[in-house]
Amino acid sequence: MEQRWQYEGEAREAGYVRVCGCDEAGAGPLAGPVYAAAVILPVEAEIPGLDDSKKLTEKKREALFPLIQERALAWAVAWVDAAEIDATDILSARMKAMQLAIDQLEPPADFALIDGNRDRGRSSAIVTPHRCIVKGDSLSASVAAASVLAKVSRDRWMVQAAEDYPEYQFQKHKGYGTKLHYEMLRIYGPSPIHRKSFLKNL
């Protein structure tokens, strides 16, 4: 587990005190918001089974969700909805959601580890002092924790949306472009929570 704390350790050695990990979920789906989470973990906190959310089963993510919230010094979740994604662009929406999550942390973070290699879009950017880490959700415990909170929060939102728009069966595909989802789109057309800018090939 020790190497999973390398980036947090380097930030602390540089003089930062509260280092958060930040990740987003839902950049690719055709429907629903993009979610982001930011998490400050205690130094080398023990969270058994913590990993990149994409490597975990839904059951494991759900089990880790309250554990991360309980062990974290601070955590926050934020999102940008489909209408704003369409009005701006998905990269800007991702950056805005991540910065919103960082801004909600209490106590606040003085440094952020950002998953991926991008820190700005056309209309939004990460303004907290930060470092981008490619595959951060696999390499940093804090980013992995954020990836789980973002993914679970977004999935729960999509399951709730399935009750409002049952014909699309969002609980099955969470808004991603599966064969079933495209079939439902062809039958019913887009709903109010679909990203119209993602549906140009229909």
Side-chain angles (χ1 to χ4, degrees):
M1 186 75 174
E2 287 66 32
Q3 75 250 34
R4 302 280 299 284
W5 296 95
Q6 175 192 335
Y7 294 102
E8 287 85 346
E10 288 174 3
R12 289 192 183 99
E13 282 167 19
Y16 295 103
V17 179
R18 289 184 298 273
V19 181
C20 76
C22 193
D23 197 8
E24 45 80 12
L30 310 177
V34 61
Y35 262 75
V39 180
I40 303 173
L41 292 176
V43 178
E44 306 219 4
E46 275 298 314
I47 303 177
L50 179 62
D51 205 343
D52 169 7
S53 64
K54 294 186 287 296
K55 297 177 182 173
L56 301 168
T57 63
E58 184 174 0
K59 186 177 177 185
K60 186 65 181 168
R61 289 194 298 266
E62 285 283 353
L64 281 167
F65 190 85
L67 194 58
I68 292 165
Q69 291 174 316
E70 184 185 300
R71 303 265 165 99
L73 295 175
W75 64 271
V77 173
W79 63 90
V80 171
D81 66 20
E84 189 170 346
I85 292 169
D86 285 340
T88 56
D89 60 276
I90 187 59
L91 179 59
S92 295
R94 285 168 53 204
M95 297 304 123
K96 181 174 179 179
M98 286 200 276
Q99 187 63 53
L100 283 170
I102 295 167
D103 289 345
Q104 288 173 33
L105 291 170
E106 191 55 53
D110 56 3
F111 193 80
L113 301 173
I114 304 292
D115 183 60
N117 63 354
R118 309 292 288 274
D119 63 358
R120 64 186 58 246
R122 284 202 301 268
S123 60
S124 295
I126 305 297
V127 296
T128 302
H130 62 277
R131 176 179 183 176
C132 293
I133 308 169
V134 175
K135 296 194 181 345
D137 42 12
S138 296
L139 299 172
S140 155
S142 303
V143 178
S147 79
V148 171
L149 294 195
K151 173 70 174 157
V152 171
S153 298
R154 187 182 184 281
D155 283 356
R156 289 177 179 177
W157 193 96
M158 293 306 301
V159 169
Q160 191 68 40
E163 295 183 18
D164 298 325
Y165 307 100
E167 63 274 24
Y168 297 97
Q169 302 183 50
F170 287 130
Q171 76 281 7
K172 292 186 178 173
H173 51 70
K174 309 296 193 294
Y176 284 87
T178 63
K179 186 180 174 194
L180 170 67
H181 192 182
Y182 275 113
E183 280 174 18
M184 298 302 103
L185 275 165
R186 278 191 285 274
I187 296 167
Y188 299 107
S191 73
I193 65 163
H194 275 93
R195 304 172 183 178
K196 312 302 186 289
S197 57
F198 281 46
L199 301 177
K200 288 171 180 164
N201 297 329
L202 278 181

